[in-house]
Amino acid sequence: MPIPVTPPLIRAATPADAPAIAAIHVQSWRETYAGLMPGEFLDRMTGADMQARRAQFWTQNITAGQDVVRVAEADGTVIAFASAGEARDHPGFDSELFTLYALRAAQGHGTGQALLRAVMGALRERGARSMALWVLDVNPTRSWYARQGGLECGEKRDGDLRELRMGWPDLGTLR
């Protein structure tokens, strides 16, 4: 996929975007987590069956309208997406970034930051004041979140996997 020449269009996702979102979700896992997660687990999470299940999930999620779901589109093709909503397990934070995934070819051009800004803006419109997320401690995007103003403020473990909480106590502090 060629790198887009113009900045991507950031817009609210529609149910028709669900297959593209699912494909990006699966491809991003393959690109990001290879060597960072057990191979058998990664294969299970990125197979054709999982991609079909993700497409169904995203169709339902977007249709329900409970979460904020935004996509980045370049030349008519969805190249990245993000989703957020009410915080699930982040004491002291009222919203959570659930996902932010971009195809590798779309990374490094401001797409992620544009999506993050759009999601934070939509959360503020809904009355949220703060946001947190979980990121795998060995995930290279951890430092990217820090450059966006996210602060490390907690951790949890699931077997051998360690996740860190990155938080924005004030949604107005995105760098």
Side-chain angles (χ1 to χ4, degrees), residues 35-80:
L36 301 179
M37 291 187 165
E40 185 179 298
F41 176 76
L42 189 58
D43 289 345
R44 194 170 58 251
M45 297 302 289
T46 60
D49 181 54
M50 182 56 76
Q51 185 168 329
R53 288 175 47 201
R54 288 187 193 277
Q56 182 178 23
F57 166 82
W58 286 112
T59 298
Q60 292 169 345
N61 182 286
I62 294 164
T63 300
Q66 183 174 340
D67 295 335
V68 170
V69 184
R70 298 292 183 264
V71 295
E73 185 180 285
D75 301 324
T77 302
V78 175
I79 58 171

mmCIF file of all heavy atoms in Angstrom, residues 35-80:
data_model
loop_
_atom_site.group_PDB
_atom_site.id
_atom_site.type_symbol
_atom_site.label_atom_id
_atom_site.label_comp_id
_atom_site.label_asym_id
_atom_site.label_seq_id
_atom_site.Cartn_x
_atom_site.Cartn_y
_atom_site.Cartn_z
ATOM 1 N N GLY A 35 6.523 -11.941 17.768
ATOM 2 C CA GLY A 35 7.699 -12.000 18.632
ATOM 3 C C GLY A 35 7.464 -11.426 20.024
ATOM 4 O O GLY A 35 8.298 -11.598 20.906
ATOM 5 N N LEU A 36 6.344 -10.730 20.225
ATOM 6 C CA LEU A 36 6.040 -10.157 21.533
ATOM 7 C C LEU A 36 5.021 -10.982 22.310
ATOM 8 O O LEU A 36 4.925 -10.862 23.523
ATOM 9 C CB LEU A 36 5.499 -8.724 21.381
ATOM 10 C CG LEU A 36 6.403 -7.716 20.685
ATOM 11 C CD1 LEU A 36 5.718 -6.367 20.591
ATOM 12 C CD2 LEU A 36 7.738 -7.595 21.416
ATOM 13 N N MET A 37 4.253 -11.800 21.586
ATOM 14 C CA MET A 37 3.247 -12.673 22.194
ATOM 15 C C MET A 37 3.522 -14.099 21.739
ATOM 16 O O MET A 37 4.109 -14.300 20.671
ATOM 17 C CB MET A 37 1.841 -12.261 21.753
ATOM 18 C CG MET A 37 1.372 -10.948 22.298
ATOM 19 S SD MET A 37 -0.359 -10.710 21.842
ATOM 20 C CE MET A 37 -0.774 -9.392 22.949
ATOM 21 N N PRO A 38 3.064 -15.066 22.520
ATOM 22 C CA PRO A 38 3.256 -16.457 22.097
ATOM 23 C C PRO A 38 2.656 -16.694 20.705
ATOM 24 O O PRO A 38 1.543 -16.240 20.410
ATOM 25 C CB PRO A 38 2.510 -17.259 23.167
ATOM 26 C CG PRO A 38 2.465 -16.348 24.363
ATOM 27 C CD PRO A 38 2.390 -14.953 23.808
ATOM 28 N N GLY A 39 3.391 -17.374 19.846
ATOM 29 C CA GLY A 39 2.980 -17.597 18.464
ATOM 30 C C GLY A 39 1.626 -18.255 18.320
ATOM 31 O O GLY A 39 0.823 -17.857 17.468
ATOM 32 N N GLU A 40 1.351 -19.269 19.147
ATOM 33 C CA GLU A 40 0.068 -19.976 19.072
ATOM 34 C C GLU A 40 -1.091 -19.024 19.375
ATOM 35 O O GLU A 40 -2.114 -19.037 18.696
ATOM 36 C CB GLU A 40 0.074 -21.139 20.059
ATOM 37 C CG GLU A 40 -1.153 -22.011 20.000
ATOM 38 C CD GLU A 40 -1.058 -23.165 20.984
ATOM 39 O OE1 GLU A 40 -0.132 -23.985 20.836
ATOM 40 O OE2 GLU A 40 -1.917 -23.232 21.887
ATOM 41 N N PHE A 41 -0.920 -18.185 20.392
ATOM 42 C CA PHE A 41 -1.944 -17.199 20.750
ATOM 43 C C PHE A 41 -2.141 -16.199 19.607
ATOM 44 O O PHE A 41 -3.269 -15.890 19.220
ATOM 45 C CB PHE A 41 -1.551 -16.472 22.041
ATOM 46 C CG PHE A 41 -2.494 -15.374 22.438
ATOM 47 C CD1 PHE A 41 -3.725 -15.672 23.003
ATOM 48 C CD2 PHE A 41 -2.150 -14.045 22.251
ATOM 49 C CE1 PHE A 41 -4.607 -14.665 23.366
ATOM 50 C CE2 PHE A 41 -3.010 -13.030 22.605
ATOM 51 C CZ PHE A 41 -4.248 -13.339 23.168
ATOM 52 N N LEU A 42 -1.050 -15.710 19.052
ATOM 53 C CA LEU A 42 -1.128 -14.733 17.974
ATOM 54 C C LEU A 42 -1.803 -15.337 16.742
ATOM 55 O O LEU A 42 -2.641 -14.683 16.110
ATOM 56 C CB LEU A 42 0.270 -14.219 17.626
ATOM 57 C CG LEU A 42 0.330 -13.047 16.663
ATOM 58 C CD1 LEU A 42 -0.454 -11.853 17.189
ATOM 59 C CD2 LEU A 42 1.786 -12.651 16.430
ATOM 60 N N ASP A 43 -1.481 -16.584 16.417
ATOM 61 C CA ASP A 43 -2.127 -17.258 15.287
ATOM 62 C C ASP A 43 -3.640 -17.343 15.494
ATOM 63 O O ASP A 43 -4.412 -17.112 14.564
ATOM 64 C CB ASP A 43 -1.560 -18.661 15.086
ATOM 65 C CG ASP A 43 -0.140 -18.662 14.542
ATOM 66 O OD1 ASP A 43 0.318 -17.603 14.048
ATOM 67 O OD2 ASP A 43 0.522 -19.721 14.633
ATOM 68 N N ARG A 44 -4.036 -17.678 16.701
ATOM 69 C CA ARG A 44 -5.463 -17.792 17.022
ATOM 70 C C ARG A 44 -6.158 -16.433 16.907
ATOM 71 O O ARG A 44 -7.283 -16.332 16.431
ATOM 72 C CB ARG A 44 -5.615 -18.380 18.424
ATOM 73 C CG ARG A 44 -7.002 -18.855 18.753
ATOM 74 C CD ARG A 44 -7.076 -19.657 20.056
ATOM 75 N NE ARG A 44 -6.594 -18.940 21.223
ATOM 76 C CZ ARG A 44 -5.455 -19.214 21.872
ATOM 77 N NH1 ARG A 44 -4.682 -20.198 21.477
ATOM 78 N NH2 ARG A 44 -5.097 -18.518 22.926
ATOM 79 N N MET A 45 -5.469 -15.372 17.321
ATOM 80 C CA MET A 45 -6.066 -14.032 17.337
ATOM 81 C C MET A 45 -6.052 -13.348 15.967
ATOM 82 O O MET A 45 -6.677 -12.300 15.806
ATOM 83 C CB MET A 45 -5.344 -13.143 18.356
ATOM 84 C CG MET A 45 -5.477 -13.629 19.785
ATOM 85 S SD MET A 45 -7.193 -13.761 20.337
ATOM 86 C CE MET A 45 -7.618 -12.041 20.448
ATOM 87 N N THR A 46 -5.343 -13.924 14.989
ATOM 88 C CA THR A 46 -5.226 -13.264 13.686
ATOM 89 C C THR A 46 -5.668 -14.156 12.525
ATOM 90 O O THR A 46 -5.441 -13.795 11.366
ATOM 91 C CB THR A 46 -3.777 -12.792 13.443
ATOM 92 O OG1 THR A 46 -2.905 -13.925 13.462
ATOM 93 C CG2 THR A 46 -3.340 -11.774 14.480
ATOM 94 N N GLY A 47 -6.316 -15.255 12.821
ATOM 95 C CA GLY A 47 -6.779 -16.151 11.759
ATOM 96 C C GLY A 47 -8.048 -15.640 11.088
ATOM 97 O O GLY A 47 -8.666 -14.656 11.511
ATOM 98 N N ALA A 48 -8.441 -16.316 10.030
ATOM 99 C CA ALA A 48 -9.625 -15.921 9.256
ATOM 100 C C ALA A 48 -10.886 -15.950 10.115
ATOM 101 O O ALA A 48 -11.750 -15.071 9.995
ATOM 102 C CB ALA A 48 -9.781 -16.837 8.045
ATOM 103 N N ASP A 49 -11.002 -16.943 10.996
ATOM 104 C CA ASP A 49 -12.171 -17.027 11.869
ATOM 105 C C ASP A 49 -12.251 -15.813 12.793
ATOM 106 O O ASP A 49 -13.319 -15.221 12.969
ATOM 107 C CB ASP A 49 -12.119 -18.325 12.697
ATOM 108 C CG ASP A 49 -13.326 -18.470 13.611
ATOM 109 O OD1 ASP A 49 -14.462 -18.396 13.103
ATOM 110 O OD2 ASP A 49 -13.129 -18.644 14.832
ATOM 111 N N MET A 50 -11.108 -15.417 13.342
ATOM 112 C CA MET A 50 -11.084 -14.258 14.229
ATOM 113 C C MET A 50 -11.407 -12.982 13.457
ATOM 114 O O MET A 50 -12.117 -12.106 13.957
ATOM 115 C CB MET A 50 -9.737 -14.135 14.938
ATOM 116 C CG MET A 50 -9.677 -12.961 15.907
ATOM 117 S SD MET A 50 -10.976 -12.972 17.199
ATOM 118 C CE MET A 50 -10.328 -14.231 18.280
ATOM 119 N N GLN A 51 -10.909 -12.871 12.234
ATOM 120 C CA GLN A 51 -11.218 -11.677 11.443
ATOM 121 C C GLN A 51 -12.725 -11.596 11.183
ATOM 122 O O GLN A 51 -13.313 -10.520 11.279
ATOM 123 C CB GLN A 51 -10.450 -11.680 10.117
ATOM 124 C CG GLN A 51 -10.666 -10.399 9.339
ATOM 125 C CD GLN A 51 -9.713 -10.236 8.176
ATOM 126 O OE1 GLN A 51 -8.578 -10.714 8.232
ATOM 127 N NE2 GLN A 51 -10.158 -9.573 7.137
ATOM 128 N N ALA A 52 -13.364 -12.717 10.883
ATOM 129 C CA ALA A 52 -14.819 -12.720 10.664
ATOM 130 C C ALA A 52 -15.556 -12.342 11.948
ATOM 131 O O ALA A 52 -16.535 -11.574 11.913
ATOM 132 C CB ALA A 52 -15.271 -14.095 10.174
ATOM 133 N N ARG A 53 -15.088 -12.861 13.078
ATOM 134 C CA ARG A 53 -15.713 -12.519 14.361
ATOM 135 C C ARG A 53 -15.531 -11.042 14.681
ATOM 136 O O ARG A 53 -16.442 -10.379 15.192
ATOM 137 C CB ARG A 53 -15.143 -13.396 15.479
ATOM 138 C CG ARG A 53 -15.632 -14.835 15.367
ATOM 139 C CD ARG A 53 -15.020 -15.786 16.353
ATOM 140 N NE ARG A 53 -15.000 -15.299 17.713
ATOM 141 C CZ ARG A 53 -14.178 -15.765 18.650
ATOM 142 N NH1 ARG A 53 -13.325 -16.724 18.361
ATOM 143 N NH2 ARG A 53 -14.201 -15.291 19.861
ATOM 144 N N ARG A 54 -14.361 -10.500 14.372
ATOM 145 C CA ARG A 54 -14.119 -9.068 14.607
ATOM 146 C C ARG A 54 -15.031 -8.217 13.713
ATOM 147 O O ARG A 54 -15.552 -7.198 14.155
ATOM 148 C CB ARG A 54 -12.653 -8.722 14.375
ATOM 149 C CG ARG A 54 -11.725 -9.247 15.461
ATOM 150 C CD ARG A 54 -10.310 -8.723 15.252
ATOM 151 N NE ARG A 54 -9.332 -9.404 16.054
ATOM 152 C CZ ARG A 54 -9.056 -9.133 17.332
ATOM 153 N NH1 ARG A 54 -9.711 -8.197 17.953
ATOM 154 N NH2 ARG A 54 -8.130 -9.807 17.982
ATOM 155 N N ALA A 55 -15.213 -8.601 12.467
ATOM 156 C CA ALA A 55 -16.101 -7.849 11.568
ATOM 157 C C ALA A 55 -17.520 -7.818 12.136
ATOM 158 O O ALA A 55 -18.179 -6.766 12.130
ATOM 159 C CB ALA A 55 -16.085 -8.447 10.168
ATOM 160 N N GLN A 56 -17.975 -8.952 12.637
ATOM 161 C CA GLN A 56 -19.313 -9.013 13.251
ATOM 162 C C GLN A 56 -19.362 -8.113 14.496
ATOM 163 O O GLN A 56 -20.311 -7.356 14.689
ATOM 164 C CB GLN A 56 -19.659 -10.448 13.613
ATOM 165 C CG GLN A 56 -21.040 -10.594 14.201
ATOM 166 C CD GLN A 56 -21.378 -12.050 14.505
ATOM 167 O OE1 GLN A 56 -20.494 -12.898 14.688
ATOM 168 N NE2 GLN A 56 -22.656 -12.345 14.569
ATOM 169 N N PHE A 57 -18.327 -8.188 15.330
ATOM 170 C CA PHE A 57 -18.274 -7.348 16.531
ATOM 171 C C PHE A 57 -18.340 -5.872 16.148
ATOM 172 O O PHE A 57 -19.097 -5.096 16.721
ATOM 173 C CB PHE A 57 -16.997 -7.614 17.339
ATOM 174 C CG PHE A 57 -16.737 -6.549 18.371
ATOM 175 C CD1 PHE A 57 -17.380 -6.576 19.601
ATOM 176 C CD2 PHE A 57 -15.865 -5.492 18.105
ATOM 177 C CE1 PHE A 57 -17.169 -5.574 20.533
ATOM 178 C CE2 PHE A 57 -15.651 -4.488 19.040
ATOM 179 C CZ PHE A 57 -16.305 -4.532 20.259
ATOM 180 N N TRP A 58 -17.504 -5.448 15.176
ATOM 181 C CA TRP A 58 -17.458 -4.038 14.812
ATOM 182 C C TRP A 58 -18.776 -3.574 14.189
ATOM 183 O O TRP A 58 -19.210 -2.444 14.430
ATOM 184 C CB TRP A 58 -16.259 -3.743 13.910
ATOM 185 C CG TRP A 58 -14.992 -3.756 14.705
ATOM 186 C CD1 TRP A 58 -13.972 -4.667 14.625
ATOM 187 C CD2 TRP A 58 -14.629 -2.846 15.743
ATOM 188 N NE1 TRP A 58 -13.000 -4.364 15.555
ATOM 189 C CE2 TRP A 58 -13.385 -3.249 16.251
ATOM 190 C CE3 TRP A 58 -15.240 -1.731 16.301
ATOM 191 C CZ2 TRP A 58 -12.733 -2.580 17.282
ATOM 192 C CZ3 TRP A 58 -14.589 -1.053 17.323
ATOM 193 C CH2 TRP A 58 -13.359 -1.477 17.805
ATOM 194 N N THR A 59 -19.421 -4.419 13.429
ATOM 195 C CA THR A 59 -20.736 -4.056 12.880
ATOM 196 C C THR A 59 -21.708 -3.770 14.025
ATOM 197 O O THR A 59 -22.395 -2.737 14.026
ATOM 198 C CB THR A 59 -21.285 -5.184 11.982
ATOM 199 O OG1 THR A 59 -20.391 -5.379 10.885
ATOM 200 C CG2 THR A 59 -22.670 -4.838 11.454
ATOM 201 N N GLN A 60 -21.752 -4.656 15.000
ATOM 202 C CA GLN A 60 -22.659 -4.482 16.137
ATOM 203 C C GLN A 60 -22.271 -3.269 16.979
ATOM 204 O O GLN A 60 -23.127 -2.490 17.397
ATOM 205 C CB GLN A 60 -22.671 -5.754 16.998
ATOM 206 C CG GLN A 60 -23.300 -6.928 16.300
ATOM 207 C CD GLN A 60 -23.085 -8.244 17.042
ATOM 208 O OE1 GLN A 60 -22.244 -8.346 17.933
ATOM 209 N NE2 GLN A 60 -23.835 -9.262 16.650
ATOM 210 N N ASN A 61 -20.991 -3.097 17.230
ATOM 211 C CA ASN A 61 -20.508 -1.999 18.067
ATOM 212 C C ASN A 61 -20.845 -0.650 17.437
ATOM 213 O O ASN A 61 -21.351 0.255 18.102
ATOM 214 C CB ASN A 61 -19.003 -2.143 18.288
ATOM 215 C CG ASN A 61 -18.433 -1.076 19.188
ATOM 216 O OD1 ASN A 61 -18.289 0.063 18.773
ATOM 217 N ND2 ASN A 61 -18.086 -1.447 20.399
ATOM 218 N N ILE A 62 -20.557 -0.507 16.168
ATOM 219 C CA ILE A 62 -20.806 0.761 15.478
ATOM 220 C C ILE A 62 -22.308 1.025 15.395
ATOM 221 O O ILE A 62 -22.761 2.152 15.618
ATOM 222 C CB ILE A 62 -20.149 0.754 14.086
ATOM 223 C CG1 ILE A 62 -18.618 0.701 14.231
ATOM 224 C CG2 ILE A 62 -20.581 1.968 13.266
ATOM 225 C CD1 ILE A 62 -17.884 0.296 12.962
ATOM 226 N N THR A 63 -23.084 -0.006 15.097
ATOM 227 C CA THR A 63 -24.537 0.143 15.008
ATOM 228 C C THR A 63 -25.126 0.582 16.346
ATOM 229 O O THR A 63 -26.008 1.446 16.391
ATOM 230 C CB THR A 63 -25.191 -1.170 14.541
ATOM 231 O OG1 THR A 63 -24.655 -1.501 13.249
ATOM 232 C CG2 THR A 63 -26.702 -1.045 14.448
ATOM 233 N N ALA A 64 -24.620 0.026 17.448
ATOM 234 C CA ALA A 64 -25.131 0.372 18.784
ATOM 235 C C ALA A 64 -24.828 1.822 19.141
ATOM 236 O O ALA A 64 -25.589 2.460 19.864
ATOM 237 C CB ALA A 64 -24.547 -0.566 19.835
ATOM 238 N N GLY A 65 -23.707 2.340 18.660
ATOM 239 C CA GLY A 65 -23.367 3.738 18.886
ATOM 240 C C GLY A 65 -22.940 4.090 20.296
ATOM 241 O O GLY A 65 -22.816 5.266 20.630
ATOM 242 N N GLN A 66 -22.691 3.095 21.135
ATOM 243 C CA GLN A 66 -22.290 3.370 22.516
ATOM 244 C C GLN A 66 -20.856 3.877 22.591
ATOM 245 O O GLN A 66 -20.555 4.802 23.337
ATOM 246 C CB GLN A 66 -22.452 2.119 23.371
ATOM 247 C CG GLN A 66 -22.126 2.368 24.829
ATOM 248 C CD GLN A 66 -22.426 1.149 25.687
ATOM 249 O OE1 GLN A 66 -23.186 0.270 25.312
ATOM 250 N NE2 GLN A 66 -21.812 1.086 26.847
ATOM 251 N N ASP A 67 -19.958 3.285 21.813
ATOM 252 C CA ASP A 67 -18.557 3.683 21.820
ATOM 253 C C ASP A 67 -18.297 4.719 20.728
ATOM 254 O O ASP A 67 -19.033 4.803 19.741
ATOM 255 C CB ASP A 67 -17.646 2.471 21.576
ATOM 256 C CG ASP A 67 -17.711 1.446 22.695
ATOM 257 O OD1 ASP A 67 -18.052 1.819 23.831
ATOM 258 O OD2 ASP A 67 -17.416 0.266 22.415
ATOM 259 N N VAL A 68 -17.226 5.473 20.896
ATOM 260 C CA VAL A 68 -16.728 6.366 19.856
ATOM 261 C C VAL A 68 -15.847 5.504 18.954
ATOM 262 O O VAL A 68 -14.906 4.869 19.444
ATOM 263 C CB VAL A 68 -15.883 7.505 20.479
ATOM 264 C CG1 VAL A 68 -15.165 8.291 19.403
ATOM 265 C CG2 VAL A 68 -16.742 8.402 21.353
ATOM 266 N N VAL A 69 -16.150 5.450 17.672
ATOM 267 C CA VAL A 69 -15.326 4.698 16.718
ATOM 268 C C VAL A 69 -15.041 5.631 15.549
ATOM 269 O O VAL A 69 -15.962 6.129 14.908
ATOM 270 C CB VAL A 69 -16.017 3.409 16.225
ATOM 271 C CG1 VAL A 69 -15.071 2.618 15.311
ATOM 272 C CG2 VAL A 69 -16.479 2.540 17.394
ATOM 273 N N ARG A 70 -13.759 5.860 15.303
ATOM 274 C CA ARG A 70 -13.328 6.733 14.221
ATOM 275 C C ARG A 70 -12.399 5.960 13.292
ATOM 276 O O ARG A 70 -11.672 5.073 13.732
ATOM 277 C CB ARG A 70 -12.588 7.968 14.759
ATOM 278 C CG ARG A 70 -13.427 8.863 15.650
ATOM 279 C CD ARG A 70 -14.533 9.553 14.866
ATOM 280 N NE ARG A 70 -15.321 10.467 15.677
ATOM 281 C CZ ARG A 70 -16.476 10.157 16.252
ATOM 282 N NH1 ARG A 70 -16.979 8.942 16.144
ATOM 283 N NH2 ARG A 70 -17.148 11.066 16.942
ATOM 284 N N VAL A 71 -12.456 6.300 12.013
ATOM 285 C CA VAL A 71 -11.553 5.703 11.030
ATOM 286 C C VAL A 71 -10.760 6.803 10.339
ATOM 287 O O VAL A 71 -11.204 7.953 10.265
ATOM 288 C CB VAL A 71 -12.302 4.852 9.969
ATOM 289 C CG1 VAL A 71 -12.957 3.640 10.606
ATOM 290 C CG2 VAL A 71 -13.303 5.682 9.181
ATOM 291 N N ALA A 72 -9.590 6.428 9.851
ATOM 292 C CA ALA A 72 -8.780 7.291 8.998
ATOM 293 C C ALA A 72 -8.869 6.692 7.606
ATOM 294 O O ALA A 72 -8.632 5.492 7.414
ATOM 295 C CB ALA A 72 -7.335 7.324 9.476
ATOM 296 N N GLU A 73 -9.213 7.535 6.652
ATOM 297 C CA GLU A 73 -9.410 7.087 5.280
ATOM 298 C C GLU A 73 -8.484 7.874 4.358
ATOM 299 O O GLU A 73 -8.405 9.096 4.448
ATOM 300 C CB GLU A 73 -10.866 7.335 4.901
ATOM 301 C CG GLU A 73 -11.285 6.823 3.567
ATOM 302 C CD GLU A 73 -12.752 7.128 3.300
ATOM 303 O OE1 GLU A 73 -13.624 6.461 3.871
ATOM 304 O OE2 GLU A 73 -13.003 8.073 2.524
ATOM 305 N N ALA A 74 -7.785 7.171 3.498
ATOM 306 C CA ALA A 74 -6.910 7.804 2.502
ATOM 307 C C ALA A 74 -7.277 7.258 1.134
ATOM 308 O O ALA A 74 -7.337 6.037 0.947
ATOM 309 C CB ALA A 74 -5.445 7.514 2.818
ATOM 310 N N ASP A 75 -7.545 8.147 0.228
ATOM 311 C CA ASP A 75 -7.897 7.756 -1.140
ATOM 312 C C ASP A 75 -9.024 6.727 -1.163
ATOM 313 O O ASP A 75 -8.987 5.760 -1.931
ATOM 314 C CB ASP A 75 -6.659 7.227 -1.886
ATOM 315 C CG ASP A 75 -5.555 8.258 -1.963
ATOM 316 O OD1 ASP A 75 -5.873 9.453 -2.108
ATOM 317 O OD2 ASP A 75 -4.369 7.869 -1.852
ATOM 318 N N GLY A 76 -10.013 6.908 -0.274
ATOM 319 C CA GLY A 76 -11.179 6.032 -0.242
ATOM 320 C C GLY A 76 -10.987 4.718 0.479
ATOM 321 O O GLY A 76 -11.885 3.880 0.505
ATOM 322 N N THR A 77 -9.810 4.509 1.088
ATOM 323 C CA THR A 77 -9.506 3.249 1.782
ATOM 324 C C THR A 77 -9.270 3.515 3.262
ATOM 325 O O THR A 77 -8.509 4.422 3.617
ATOM 326 C CB THR A 77 -8.235 2.603 1.175
ATOM 327 O OG1 THR A 77 -8.462 2.377 -0.217
ATOM 328 C CG2 THR A 77 -7.901 1.297 1.863
ATOM 329 N N VAL A 78 -9.906 2.719 4.120
ATOM 330 C CA VAL A 78 -9.684 2.833 5.559
ATOM 331 C C VAL A 78 -8.303 2.264 5.861
ATOM 332 O O VAL A 78 -7.991 1.131 5.491
ATOM 333 C CB VAL A 78 -10.787 2.102 6.360
ATOM 334 C CG1 VAL A 78 -10.483 2.128 7.848
ATOM 335 C CG2 VAL A 78 -12.147 2.732 6.084
ATOM 336 N N ILE A 79 -7.467 3.086 6.519
ATOM 337 C CA ILE A 79 -6.080 2.687 6.791
ATOM 338 C C ILE A 79 -5.771 2.581 8.283
ATOM 339 O O ILE A 79 -4.714 2.096 8.675
ATOM 340 C CB ILE A 79 -5.082 3.661 6.135
ATOM 341 C CG1 ILE A 79 -5.308 5.096 6.637
ATOM 342 C CG2 ILE A 79 -5.170 3.573 4.611
ATOM 343 C CD1 ILE A 79 -4.240 6.088 6.223
ATOM 344 N N ALA A 80 -6.709 3.067 9.122
ATOM 345 C CA ALA A 80 -6.491 3.032 10.573
ATOM 346 C C ALA A 80 -7.832 3.261 11.257
ATOM 347 O O ALA A 80 -8.780 3.772 10.644
ATOM 348 C CB ALA A 80 -5.491 4.102 10.993
#
